[in-house]
Amino acid sequence: MSETKKTNIILFSGDYDKAMAAYIIANGAAAYDHEVTIFHTFWGLNALRKDGKVEAQKGFLEKMFGKMMPRGADKMGLSKMNMAGMGPKMIKKVMKKHNTSSVPDLIEMAQMQGINLVACQMTMDLLGFQRAELLDDITYAGVAAYLADAENGNVNLFI
Amino acid sequence: MNIDKTLDVKGLACPMPLVQTKKAIGELEANQVLEVVTTDAGAKADLAAWSKSSGHELLDQKEDDGVFTFYIQKG
């Protein structure tokens, strides 16, 4: 086998279906022995949120942002057919029937496979997220760290 | 054919068959043979591509009533 290949995914979207696609590709790439990084920015940061409420000192706007956005992958909406929350309920039912892994399960599997989960520090600040609100064992970085991975990347995706 | 290990991933959907196959083959020695049993119709293309790219050899495969069986020799 040749040297280790790299897969880099930017998860910009906070939609359940798009996060699912990103995490399926990431887990597949890890099975291909790629070094995999998922760089979460803007709405994609919601996938990394802990599902419970986390006490944090915040200003009014940051608190509002925190309330309006989904706490964790399981609470995210669909990019199509969301129907005020009916869509996610329906798709999760179908997923169960087809034995498809849920996004929280895929995230857990990603961590087990040693996939590098990165949160973009700049957008965390914009949206008012503090590190305690996000999953443990993730790293924090900016555009330079992403580019350092991406310039040697074999698969680069923006989702 | 001498089968060293069998992986039953029937009922599981993409990407689980691939992830489990990769894990199972990691536990084998070179030249040992892994049997993978799956109901995922996508696995046919998936496991063939993965074996090729990862340096393993897909020795044989068969399909019987929606159940796919693959024999992969570790490279």
Side-chain angles (χ1 to χ4, degrees), chain A residues 114-151:
Chain A
I115 291 175
N116 189 17
L117 302 182
V118 183
C120 164
Q121 183 66 56
M122 190 279 278
T123 44
M124 270 180 72
D125 295 341
L126 276 187
L127 300 176
F129 288 137
Q130 294 178 6
R131 292 189 179 190
E133 294 178 84
L134 302 187
L135 299 178
D136 303 324
D137 302 322
I138 63 172
T139 55
Y140 301 88
V143 65
Y146 161 71
L147 287 169
D149 285 338
E151 72 176 354

Side-chain angles (χ1 to χ4, degrees), chain A residues 16 20-21 24 91-106 109, chain B residues 11-17 40:
Chain A
Y16 189 91
M20 186 168 162
I24 287 177
I91 207 156
K92 279 172 201 170
K93 208 167 169 180
V94 178
M95 280 166 62
K96 209 164 238 171
K97 193 174 129 197
H98 289 275
N99 226 341
T100 310
S101 307
S102 68
V103 177
D105 285 354
L106 288 166
M109 203 198 309
Chain B
L12 294 182
C14 172
M16 289 312 293
D40 174 21

Side-chain angles (χ1 to χ4, degrees), chain A residues 19-36:
Chain A
M20 186 168 162
Y23 271 90
I24 287 177
I25 297 167
N27 277 298
Y32 260 75
D33 275 324
H34 285 198
E35 223 179 281
V36 187

Side-chain angles (χ1 to χ4, degrees), chain A residues 44-121:
Chain A
L45 287 169
N46 287 310
L48 296 178
R49 281 182 95 185
K50 289 176 181 154
D51 53 7
K53 201 171 176 195
V54 177
E55 281 303 321
Q57 285 284 18
K58 286 190 187 188
F60 176 73
L61 269 178
E62 283 82 9
K63 265 190 194 147
M64 288 297 290
F65 275 168
K67 280 208 167 70
M68 286 188 293
M69 290 184 291
R71 274 203 188 89
D74 198 44
K75 297 194 181 71
M76 296 195 302
L78 292 178
S79 66
K80 296 271 191 301
M81 302 203 306
N82 191 49
M83 300 179 288
M86 275 296 290
K89 284 206 178 78
M90 280 157 57
I91 207 156
K92 279 172 201 170
K93 208 167 169 180
V94 178
M95 280 166 62
K96 209 164 238 171
K97 193 174 129 197
H98 289 275
N99 226 341
T100 310
S101 307
S102 68
V103 177
D105 285 354
L106 288 166
I107 294 174
E108 202 186 315
M109 203 198 309
Q111 288 192 303
M112 267 169 40
Q113 293 210 86
I115 291 175
N116 189 17
L117 302 182
V118 183
C120 164
Q121 183 66 56

Side-chain angles (χ1 to χ4, degrees), chain B residues 21-49:
Chain B
T21 300
K22 138 98 177 152
K23 196 168 157 249
I25 214 139
E27 291 160 3
L28 293 182
E29 310 280 331
N31 296 322
Q32 286 190 312
V33 176
L34 175 71
E35 179 186 47
V36 183
V37 187
T38 174
T39 47
D40 174 21
K44 200 170 177 176
D46 267 15
L47 290 179

